[in-house]
Amino acid sequence: MAPVAVPVQPDTGHSSPPDDGGPRHIRKGLGIAVSSTKTLIHNPQLFWFTLLAGLVLAGHLIVQGILVSFSMNDRTDLIGSPFVAFAVELPTVFCLLVVWAGLVLSLSGNNGSPASFWRGLRQAKNHVLPLAGWSVVVAGAGTLVFYAGWTLASLSIPAWFHTFDIYGNVYLFLSNVFGQYPFSWSLNPDVLAAYLPGGAVSGSGSGFPNAFIQTLVFSAINVLLVLLTLFVVPLLVLEKTRLKDAVYRSFALAKKIRGALAGCILCLGLVLFAVSLTFLLFRFTGISTVEVARGITTISSSRPGDAWIALGLLYSLALSGFTLIIATVGGIASLDLYRYAKTREETK
């Protein structure tokens, strides 16, 4: 029997249809998010990226806590200094970019075999200089955004302007969230210390909640900057493009697949948002909130049982780990999106 022939459309020499953000292109982005998740599942070594990124952010949190503690105890506004903010931001961004470059290189050279993250990370050291240059740009931009918001928060501005105050709104939202159980007890050593025998008075502790929120605000700014320049790292380490050209080409490639890019970001964002809403289940416990505002803690509830505090801590750690896993999937998806954008560019 003759094999069945599958009809193939002849190559007319025309370019591929533009990515106008329609449903078909958004579905492509959803498919990339799903395939990136499967890639992570089939390559357990890539979870090293999750661990290393978590350690970098934990180090950033520790430094922020030290700065907030000095600012509260010595009355020196270290956290509001742009130079201090840049000094803290630069090594954090550089380490994250190097780890991300290792992830991209490990996936780009596996040729169908299981990806070796450590091999990719060793290869990333050959691209330290361009990654360092890009770290300076990202850290500088992030510091400007953060410092501008910090300055506006300390000024008396009209009420209508608060609608456009992105920094203030994000800070207020995170403060309200982390003033709720279980975060208010599991992530707030000031509150726990207040209930220990001979413990500290509420509000006179380390300022850890404020440091945690500042770290999240920094992270949110960095994520926004990364999304705006998603393909700079692949261009630097895979094509060895100059930094200035990599930024321009990143915007051009993102424009070619804006629908798929939006679909992928939307998919990962909705999954993370849906999982994070599970903290509302703790509201059925009847435990009241603990209000936290700029490092000043106000206890408005009785102490929950030790089991509830332990459960809240485990939940907080699990949610943080899941967030880092989503970030890992996003790092894998950035390479898939880059390859898709390159394919569409070559069909022009």
Side-chain angles (χ1 to χ4, degrees):
M1 296 180 62
V4 179
V6 180
V8 180
Q9 294 292 337
D11 186 4
T12 59
H14 294 292
S15 61
S16 58
D19 185 346
D20 53 1
R24 183 171 66 89
H25 300 289
I26 293 178
R27 285 196 298 270
K28 176 65 177 179
L30 298 177
I32 289 177
V34 173
S35 65
S36 299
T37 305
K38 294 179 179 178
T39 299
L40 179 60
I41 295 174
H42 295 154
N43 296 268
Q45 279 205 37
L46 301 182
F47 282 105
W48 283 109
F49 171 88
T50 308
L51 178 61
L52 292 180
L55 291 176
V56 172
L57 293 176
H60 184 88
L61 173 60
I62 292 173
V63 174
Q64 286 284 357
I66 294 173
L67 293 177
V68 171
S69 179
F70 273 116
S71 297
M72 292 178 60
N73 298 328
D74 298 339
R75 307 300 180 184
T76 57
D77 192 12
L78 292 177
I79 195 67
S81 170
F83 303 103
V84 174
F86 179 79
V88 175
E89 182 80 344
L90 180 59
T92 302
V93 172
F94 175 72
C95 292
L96 291 175
L97 289 182
V98 170
V99 174
W100 182 13
L103 178 67
V104 170
L105 290 169
S106 64
L107 289 169
S108 61
N110 60 341
N111 296 322
S113 59
S116 174
F117 174 76
W118 293 108
R119 184 192 64 185
L121 194 59
R122 287 192 297 269
Q123 294 175 351
K125 67 181 182 181
N126 299 324
H127 308 278
V128 167
L129 288 180
L131 291 174
W134 182 231
S135 300
V136 172
V137 175
V138 175
T143 300
L144 288 176
V145 174
F146 181 85
Y147 184 66
W150 180 270
T151 303
L152 289 175
S154 61
L155 299 177
S156 298
I157 56 178
W160 60 266
F161 188 81
H162 288 285
T163 305
F164 307 97
D165 183 11
I166 298 177
Y167 170 87
N169 291 329
V170 171
Y171 189 98
L172 180 62
F173 171 77
L174 292 174
S175 297
N176 291 332
V177 169
F178 286 94
Q180 308 294 322
Y181 178 75
F183 309 114
S184 56
W185 286 94
S186 60
L187 298 178
N188 194 340
D190 295 347
V191 176
L192 296 177
Y195 281 92
L196 293 175
V201 179
S202 172
S204 63
S206 62
F208 182 86
N210 192 31
F212 196 84
I213 294 172
Q214 297 289 3
T215 301
L216 290 179
V217 172
F218 263 119
S219 300
I221 293 173
N222 290 336
V223 169
L224 176 61
L225 295 174
V226 165
L227 292 178
L228 292 176
T229 56
L230 185 62
F231 302 131
V232 171
V233 170
L235 287 167
L236 290 177
V237 301
L238 296 180
E239 299 188 24
K240 299 180 181 179
T241 310
R242 292 189 305 173
L243 180 56
K244 181 179 179 181
D245 297 334
V247 175
Y248 287 137
R249 286 198 60 197
S250 176
F251 284 116
L253 291 174
K255 184 178 179 181
K256 292 181 183 298
I257 59 167
R258 55 183 178 271
L261 181 59
C264 184
I265 295 174
L266 181 65
C267 178
L268 297 179
L270 286 178
V271 169
L272 180 59
F273 178 72
V275 172
S276 64
L277 287 180
T278 55
F279 92 93
L280 295 175
L281 297 175
F282 288 91
R283 300 299 298 273
F284 295 103
T285 61
I287 298 174
S288 302
T289 61
V290 176
E291 298 179 359
V292 179
R294 297 189 179 280
I296 302 176
T297 305
T298 303
I299 302 174
S300 59
S301 64
S302 60
R303 183 183 188 278
D306 293 338
W308 283 111
I309 294 177
L311 180 61
L313 178 59
L314 290 176
Y315 172 80
S316 301
L317 293 175
L319 183 59
S320 301
F322 184 80
T323 303
L324 291 172
I325 291 175
I326 291 294
T328 306
V329 174
I332 298 171
S334 67
L335 179 60
D336 293 338
L337 289 167
Y338 166 75
R339 288 170 173 169
Y340 178 56
K342 289 286 294 181
T343 302
R344 294 187 63 85
E345 184 182 52
E346 291 170 358
T347 57
K348 279 284 187 180

